[in-house]
Amino acid sequence: MAESRYGPRERMVFSAAQLIRRDGVAATGMRDVAALAGAPRGSLQHYFPGGKEQLVNEAVAWAGRYAGKRVARFVAALEEPAPSALFTAMAAQWTEEYRVDGFAAGCPVAAATVDRASSGSSIREAAASAFAAWRGPVAEALTGMGVPAARADSLATLMISTLEGAILIARAERDVRPLETAVRELGPLLDAAASRSQ
């Protein structure tokens, strides 16, 4: 995120998301966020009077919006729009990252969920909203590809949960095969949902 293009608040939200995806919520410190963002430490209280919980909530919300916006870019880049091709593009983002940069980071929304789902905090609610912000565009894209509206949300949930699970296993095994397997096995089911409606 270019320093000249974004202000300190935006840089801190982005930096928090990057640290959460690598280290989790508990290990992400406010000072680390400020340092990564190149922002004065004193600005944390100014921009995030709700403290770490507010910053984490905003980072998780940003990640959900980011994932949702990527769906449209994936669809626009497809030579032949098909549900399996969309899922392939979603998984390829992670496969490429892991091949180039290693397996250090995962999804910040998943990391926040794992760290805080049982605490009853607003972070759990922010994570649920972030997944919804991602699921909506996936379902909309599926509908545009011929999946019946009645199934689109369910299949979007399946795609996201399969992807998140494959990301976790890939990180644990330090191998992209779980992502490749998910693409290979889920693709035919997704395309069958579209072809039945045509």
Side-chain angles (χ1 to χ4, degrees):
M1 181 170 273
E3 192 169 324
S4 60
R5 185 173 166 197
Y6 297 96
R9 186 178 206 293
E10 292 82 8
R11 291 195 317 270
M12 285 188 280
V13 169
F14 175 80
S15 296
Q18 300 315 302
L19 290 171
I20 291 166
R21 71 189 293 259
R22 188 188 72 203
D23 302 327
V25 172
T28 295
M30 297 287 275
R31 290 179 185 180
D32 298 327
V33 170
L36 184 61
R41 273 191 12 213
S43 63
L44 284 164
Q45 184 62 32
H46 172 72
Y47 291 115
F48 306 100
K52 182 175 179 178
E53 187 163 334
Q54 179 187 356
L55 176 58
V56 170
N57 286 346
E58 292 192 30
V60 167
W62 173 88
R65 290 189 307 273
Y66 176 79
K69 289 176 186 173
R70 284 196 62 101
V71 173
R73 289 192 293 249
F74 290 145
V75 171
L78 296 178
E79 289 182 27
E80 287 189 38
S84 63
L86 173 58
F87 187 68
T88 298
M90 291 167 63
Q93 164 193 352
W94 292 97
T95 302
E96 181 180 333
E97 176 180 332
Y98 290 154
R99 284 188 174 137
V100 172
D101 298 327
F103 296 86
C107 172
V109 181
T113 303
V114 169
D115 273 6
R116 294 292 194 256
S118 64
S119 70
S121 73
S122 64
I123 295 172
R124 185 203 54 76
E125 294 169 11
S129 295
F131 279 123
W134 185 10
R135 187 174 56 245
V138 173
E140 185 178 320
L142 291 174
T143 303
M145 295 173 184
V147 173
R151 285 200 69 200
D153 189 65
S154 295
L155 288 177
T157 298
L158 179 63
M159 289 168 69
I160 292 169
S161 59
T162 300
L163 180 60
E164 289 288 10
I167 290 167
L168 287 173
I169 297 170
R171 289 183 73 195
E173 295 179 353
R174 297 209 152 328
D175 195 317
V176 297
R177 282 184 303 169
L179 290 157
E180 295 168 341
T181 299
V183 166
R184 185 176 61 250
E185 297 296 334
L186 190 59
L189 180 141
L190 295 171
D191 287 344
S195 63
R196 284 193 198 115
S197 67
Q198 295 172 349

